[in-house]
């Protein structure tokens, strides 16, 4: 089954890579890319620094568990990002709770539930920001579409609140696992102070991510004309969405295709010329942007993974 999942993931990535490259003269890739290096360097530094905020949010969510030095809260964050980037099917989401269990004396499923609620808060915040941005971006969507978006958004939020507070056993999940998941919820976001502060931290994290995206897309001459704040917010949402499609590590292929198609749609919405040379340059840029985003994961994250692996080997 695991081999089939890997084959499926690689096949999906290969399909999207084909879609990206099928009309592109490959010898023209990376030929003429004009960019502002200073903006890219500032964006890369910011991608490293934002992990301090993520670690602070995790410390808040783990407030009722064993207290640790601040540096310990970096490890699960960076480890998860490294594993999600380098392994199939977002493996970090399932393996990181093991680290939480070791450092903070919680059960595996308590750690899993805390990470799940962290992701849930993230998605709730960014979905709301994207919804607001739809009012202002260059697609000029009909207000009925935006209204439907918010109706679906609110329906999902209230449904999740109901499920979280549902007291009966869900489906065929063993009661012990449910009890551990509920325990993770009770010790974290059930506390209203922790919930509201987590929402605040997530809002700040996403605002910074949007500003980083703005710097990156402003840095390239070809994407600068479509880089308004509302368009960048939509692009941020598209990049988040691309991570949910099962694909090869780092969502390679899927990420690139979504970026190219979205920018192409913005070009057409603004009545800008979108010919083969622009499509070729966008393909090159999408590769560079993907490398920029995963740089902290494959450097700092890889170092944390190496240190964790050494510690585990010493215990054998």
């Amino acid at each position: 089954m695991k081999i089939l999942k890997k084959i499926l993931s690689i096949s999906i990535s290969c399909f999207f890579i084909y879609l990206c490259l099928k009309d592109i003269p490959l010898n023209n890739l990376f030929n003429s890319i004009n960019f502002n290096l200073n903006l890219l360097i500032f964006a890369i530094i910011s991608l490293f620094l934002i992990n301090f905020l993520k670690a602070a949010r995790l410390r808040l969510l783990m407030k009722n568990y064993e207290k640790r030095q601040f540096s310990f809260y970096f490890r699960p964050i960076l480890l998860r990002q490294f594993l999600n980037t380098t392994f199939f099917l977002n493996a970090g989401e399932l393996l990181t709770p093991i680290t939480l269990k070791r450092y903070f004396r919680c059960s595996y499923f308590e750690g899993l539930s805390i990470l799940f609620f962290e992701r849930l808060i993230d998605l709730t915040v960014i979905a709301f920001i994207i919804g607001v941005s739809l009012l202002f971006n260059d697609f000029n969507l009909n207000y009925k579409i935006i209204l439907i978006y918010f109706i679906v958004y609110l329906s999902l939020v209230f449904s999740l609140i109901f499920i979280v507070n549902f007291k009966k056993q869900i489906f065929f999940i063993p009661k012990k696992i449910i009890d551990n998941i509920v325990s993770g919820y009770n010790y974290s976001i059930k506390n209203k102070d922790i919930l509201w502060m987590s929402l605040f931290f997530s809002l700040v994290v996403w605002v910074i991510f949007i500003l980083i995206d703005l710097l990156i897309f402003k840095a390239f001459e070809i994407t600068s004309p479509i880089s308004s704040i509302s368009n960048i917010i939509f692009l941020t949402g598209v990049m988040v969405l691309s991570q949910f499609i099962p694909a090869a590590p780092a969502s390679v292929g899927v990420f690139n295709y979504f970026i190219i198609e979205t920018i192409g749609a913005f070009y057409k919405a603004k009545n800008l010329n979108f010919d083969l040379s622009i499509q070729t340059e966008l393909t090159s840029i999408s590769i560079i942007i993907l490398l920029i985003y995963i740089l902290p994961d494959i450097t700092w994250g890889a170092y944390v993974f190496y240190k964790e692996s050494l510690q585990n080997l010493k215990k054998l």
Side-chain angles (χ1 to χ4, degrees), residues 137 177 183 196 203 214:
N137 68 29
I177 292 176
S183 179
W196 288 113
L203 178 61
L214 182 64

Side-chain angles (χ1 to χ4, degrees), residues 152-260:
V152 172
Y153 168 79
L154 291 171
S155 299
L156 289 172
V157 169
F158 286 118
S159 296
L160 287 166
I161 291 171
F162 172 77
I163 291 170
V164 164
N165 289 282
F166 192 61
K167 302 298 182 184
K168 297 180 180 179
Q169 185 169 339
I170 302 171
F171 305 118
F172 300 105
I173 302 174
K175 187 176 184 302
K176 187 176 180 180
I177 292 176
I178 292 176
D179 289 342
N180 278 292
I181 292 172
V182 171
S183 179
Y185 165 70
N186 289 335
Y187 281 114
S188 58
I189 63 169
K190 189 175 182 180
N191 181 312
K192 288 184 172 56
D193 291 336
I194 293 176
L195 174 61
W196 288 113
M197 283 302 297
S198 298
L199 283 166
F200 172 74
F201 270 115
S202 293
L203 178 61
V204 174
V205 165
W206 280 116
V207 167
I208 293 173
F209 263 127
I210 289 163
L211 292 175
I212 290 170
D213 292 342
L214 182 64
L215 288 173
I216 291 171
F217 286 102
K218 278 285 187 185
F220 293 99
E221 186 179 289
I222 198 168
T223 54
S224 185
I226 57 94
S227 296
S228 64
I229 283 286
S230 55
N231 288 353
I232 292 300
I233 291 172
F234 190 84
L235 273 166
T236 301
V238 166
M239 288 186 279
V240 171
L241 179 63
S242 71
Q243 296 172 16
F244 287 94
I245 297 175
S251 298
V252 63
V254 178
F255 176 94
N256 306 84
Y257 178 77
F258 276 41
I259 290 295
I260 294 164

